[in-house]
């Protein structure tokens, strides 16, 4: 069933190209039906998930036996929430794109392709399989930005591709080093986790950690590897930005938890302070640079650097307290995974709202707008909910995630955690200022702005409803994540 969930969108994309002269209307509804069916299958996976700290729905077949690389898939409490997030966000983008009128068949096929590679990465339990999906996500997003982006899209797409491709090469070097160090040689993540091939490996293990860290840090992105992110987001179409922020950025943070921490536990603990410092710098840098932006979409992009910084801070702090304070380190890792889900929902909604803003005014420049709440109250209402959710108010998923991150990190890294608190204050200021500029005060246009259409509302509102559900009733999500977090920390404590 897991293979069906992963490859159903790709099969649907192939069918689109195999059938000649398909009307655009059929393509839009075909894409929506496939995305909805895949989301329903993921819900069925969640309902049937047995719980605990092991893998479910595991598939392990021979693939490239000469290098001990297999078609190994499975889900646990770390990956299943991200699989559900991925399927949900792609469904939201399919609904949002019902109004898409530019090369509809290619656009839908690219998103279906991206859905398969994104789902495949989160369920891959083999490093080569993981790397294949990681690289294919770069190719898919490159064509989305270059083909359907704004005026400077080609340049932004090239910058995105080159940066993230360098990161994937660094990852490949690290994966090959792990393969060579293992005995017997293997790319299987479960077997590498059991072996810990570079335990006590000194500088060699440090270099492998560096290679993997650079690869995942570029994808996340963290400071100083973030410079590809603002132009990619600014120039990408709204649905592309939502997938880039909501799903593709999580591939980096997921790699930290799935691969680096359990396979290189002692090396992670040795250099955990470095990740804490990088996390705090990303939190503060992302928040203050976002505060200085006049471009609404660019501002949201920099808040992603800020929010990803909280995750890096948490996983670094978990390494610093790995020998003690079990409850604190579990809170930090659980908070990090919850933040991945929360950020995907909220920032995905924010980027779709940014697309609505661009459709109404033809620019992301906040100084060109004002008083839109009077003519577009539904748009203003959802934007207000998304803004308050993003700054982590109680009642939203961001509060649950950040509360766990700060509580779990404070004992090990008090100074860094207190500094990271400033990021919340700055984020609150920038979102309130952006909301005031766009929706309150006197209108700057003689023409009243149109309110949300039905498809825009149906695509965005469920993401924010889920953020509220997690914020008010988080137990259904935490019950899934906590056993897997404990398993990662048990592996780190070896």
């Amino acid at each position: 069933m897991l293979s069906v969930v992963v490859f159903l969108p790709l099969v649907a994309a192939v069918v689109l190209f195999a059938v000649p002269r398909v009307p655009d209307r059929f393509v839009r509804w075909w894409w929506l039906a496939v995305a909805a069916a895949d989301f329903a299958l993921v819900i069925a996976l969640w309902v049937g998930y047995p719980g605990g700290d092991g893998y479910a729905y595991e598939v392990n077949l021979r693939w490239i036996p000469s290098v001990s690389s297999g078609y190994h898939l499975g889900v646990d409490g770390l990956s299943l929430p991200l699989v559900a997030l991925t399927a949900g966000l792609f469904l939201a983008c399919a609904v949002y794109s019902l109004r898409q009128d530019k090369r509809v068949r290619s656009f839908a096929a690219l998103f279906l392709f991206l859905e398969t590679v994104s789902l495949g990465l989160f369920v891959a339990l083999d490093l080569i399989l993981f790397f294949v999906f990681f690289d294919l996500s770069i190719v898919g997003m490159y064509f989305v930005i270059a083909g359907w982006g704004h005026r400077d899209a080609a340049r932004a797409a090239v910058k995105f591709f080159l940066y993230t491709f360098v990161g994937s090469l660094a990852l490949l070097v690290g994966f090959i080093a792990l393969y060579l160090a293992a005995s017997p040689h293997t790319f299987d993540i479960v077997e590498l986790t059991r072996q810990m091939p570079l335990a006590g490996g000194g500088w060699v293990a440090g270099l492998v950690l560096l290679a993997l860290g650079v690869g995942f840090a570029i994808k996340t992105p963290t400071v100083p590897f973030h410079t590809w992110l603002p132009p990619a987001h600014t120039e990408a179409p709204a649905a592309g930005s939502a997938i880039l922020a909501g799903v593709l950025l999580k591939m980096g943070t997921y790699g930290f938890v799935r691969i680096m921490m359990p396979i290189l536990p002692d090396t992670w603990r040795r250099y955990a302070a470095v990740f804490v410092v990088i996390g705090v710098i990303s939190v503060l840098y992302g928040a203050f640079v976002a505060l200085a932006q006049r471009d609404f979409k660019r501002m949201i992009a920099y808040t992603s650097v800020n929010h990803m910084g909280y995750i890096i801070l948490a996983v670094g702090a978990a390494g610093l307290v790995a020998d003690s304070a079990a409850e604190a380190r579990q809170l930090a890792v659980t908070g990090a995974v919850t933040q991945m889900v929360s950020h995907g929902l909220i920032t995905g909604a924010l980027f779709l709202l940014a697309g609505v803003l661009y459709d109404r005014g033809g620019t992301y420049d906040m100084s060109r707008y004002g008083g839109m709440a009077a003519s577009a109250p539904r748009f203003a209402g959802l934007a207000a909910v998304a803004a308050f959710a993003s700054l982590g108010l109680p009642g939203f998923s961001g509060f649950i995630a950040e509360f766990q991150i700060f509580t779990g990190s404070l004992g090990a890294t008090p100074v860094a955690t207190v500094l990271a608190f400033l990021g919340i204050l700055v984020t609150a200021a920038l979102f309130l200022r952006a909301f005031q500029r766009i929706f309150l005060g006197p209108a700057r246009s003689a023409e009243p702005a149109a309110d949300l259409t039905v498809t825009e509302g149906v695509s965005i509102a469920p993401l924010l409803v889920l953020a509220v559900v997690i914020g008010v009733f988080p137990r259904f999500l935490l019950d899934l994540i906590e056993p897997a977090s404990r398993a990662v920390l048990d592996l780190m404590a070896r």
Side-chain angles (χ1 to χ4, degrees):
M1 185 169 177
L2 202 51
S3 296
V4 174
V5 168
V6 171
F7 290 103
L8 175 63
L10 181 62
V11 171
V14 172
V15 170
L16 274 183
F17 278 111
V19 180
R21 296 184 181 180
V22 180
D24 287 349
R25 181 180 173 83
F26 173 84
V27 173
R28 295 187 191 99
W29 286 101
W30 172 258
W31 177 15
L32 178 57
V34 172
D38 216 39
F39 183 68
L41 289 173
V42 171
I43 297 300
L45 283 181
W46 191 309
V47 171
Y49 182 71
D53 56 4
Y55 295 106
Y57 308 108
E58 205 168 348
V59 180
N60 195 355
L61 304 173
R62 284 164 59 86
W63 181 37
I64 314 175
S66 57
V67 293
S68 296
S69 178
Y71 176 76
H72 194 178
L73 308 181
V75 292
D76 63 356
L78 298 180
S79 54
L80 188 52
L82 295 174
V83 169
L85 169 69
T86 301
L89 265 182
F90 273 96
L91 176 58
C93 289
V95 176
Y96 183 86
S97 302
L98 282 174
R99 60 189 186 158
Q100 177 71 29
D101 57 4
K102 181 182 176 184
R103 301 196 302 278
V104 179
R105 184 158 67 166
S106 302
F107 191 74
L110 262 179
F111 271 78
L112 288 167
F113 169 78
L114 268 173
E115 184 169 2
T116 283
V117 299
S118 301
L119 291 169
L121 181 137
F122 290 128
V123 302
L125 293 177
D126 181 276
L127 291 180
I128 294 299
L129 200 57
F130 182 97
F131 179 78
V132 168
F133 288 127
F134 191 93
D135 257 14
L136 291 178
S137 73
I138 299 171
V139 175
M141 186 51 68
Y142 165 81
F143 283 112
V144 168
I145 298 172
W148 287 268
H150 303 307
R151 284 176 299 180
D152 205 17
R155 186 176 179 182
V158 169
K159 189 171 185 177
F160 160 78
F161 186 91
L162 291 179
Y163 257 77
T164 50
F165 190 62
V166 167
S168 75
L169 293 179
L171 272 188
L172 184 60
V173 171
F175 289 170
I176 292 173
L178 288 174
Y179 168 79
L180 294 174
S183 179
H185 300 323
T186 182
F187 284 106
D188 189 276
I189 292 175
V190 178
E191 178 61 19
L192 286 169
T193 301
R194 190 189 64 77
Q195 284 193 24
M196 291 193 302
L198 289 171
W203 63 272
V204 175
L207 288 177
V208 173
L209 189 84
L210 176 64
L212 298 180
V214 168
F216 290 131
I218 291 175
K219 193 78 169 183
T220 297
T222 63
V223 177
F225 304 114
H226 66 287
T227 56
W228 63 267
L229 183 72
H233 273 308
T234 306
E235 303 302 333
S241 293
I243 295 302
L244 180 58
V247 177
L248 267 61
L249 302 193
K250 308 303 174 298
M251 295 178 179
T253 51
Y254 177 72
F256 282 107
V257 183
R258 169 63 70 209
I259 296 173
M260 293 180 67
M261 294 172 73
I263 295 180
L264 298 165
D266 54 345
T267 314
W268 179 271
R269 291 197 302 269
R270 193 177 310 144
Y271 295 101
V274 176
F275 294 99
V276 169
V277 172
I278 291 173
V280 172
I281 291 173
S282 297
V283 166
L284 296 177
Y285 178 86
F288 280 108
V289 177
L291 185 64
Q293 300 302 311
R294 296 176 55 184
D295 184 300
F296 183 61
K297 210 175 180 190
R298 203 172 178 87
M299 183 198 80
I300 301 171
Y302 275 109
T303 62
S304 290
V305 178
N306 161 266
H307 284 98
M308 293 299 99
Y310 293 127
I311 297 173
I312 304 303
L313 167 66
V315 294
L320 286 180
V321 293
D323 293 331
S324 59
E327 188 176 352
R329 56 197 174 103
Q330 183 181 329
L331 272 175
V333 174
T334 303
V337 179
T338 308
Q339 177 75 328
M340 294 182 209
V341 177
S342 172
H343 179 265
L345 293 172
I346 297 168
T347 307
L350 278 169
F351 275 119
L352 294 182
L353 287 166
V356 175
L357 184 70
Y358 188 86
D359 285 345
R360 303 302 187 266
T363 178
Y364 297 114
D365 187 347
M366 290 184 281
S367 65
R368 303 283 294 276
Y369 296 96
M372 289 183 71
S375 59
R378 294 192 298 274
F379 183 20
L382 280 187
V385 172
F388 286 122
S390 189
L391 58 89
L393 278 186
F396 293 101
S397 54
F399 175 77
I400 301 296
E402 290 167 16
F403 177 79
Q404 292 180 102
I405 288 173
F406 289 133
T407 306
S409 304
L410 189 61
T413 58
V415 175
T417 306
V418 169
L419 288 173
F421 270 118
L422 293 175
I424 294 180
L425 185 62
V426 178
T427 305
L430 67 92
F431 272 113
L432 291 176
R433 190 188 62 167
F435 186 80
Q436 285 179 340
R437 281 184 175 182
I438 297 171
F439 295 102
L440 304 181
R444 294 183 181 276
S445 172
E447 296 290 330
D451 208 348
L452 288 181
T453 64
V454 173
T455 55
E456 288 168 345
V458 170
S459 64
I460 298 168
L463 301 176
L464 297 174
V465 169
L466 275 173
V468 173
V469 169
I470 294 172
V472 178
F473 306 104
R475 184 41 54 191
F476 79 97
L477 179 63
L478 300 181
D479 281 345
L480 188 66
I481 298 173
E482 284 172 353
S485 299
R486 275 197 301 274
V488 170
L489 293 168
D490 288 343
L491 292 169
M492 278 185 57
R494 291 174 293 173

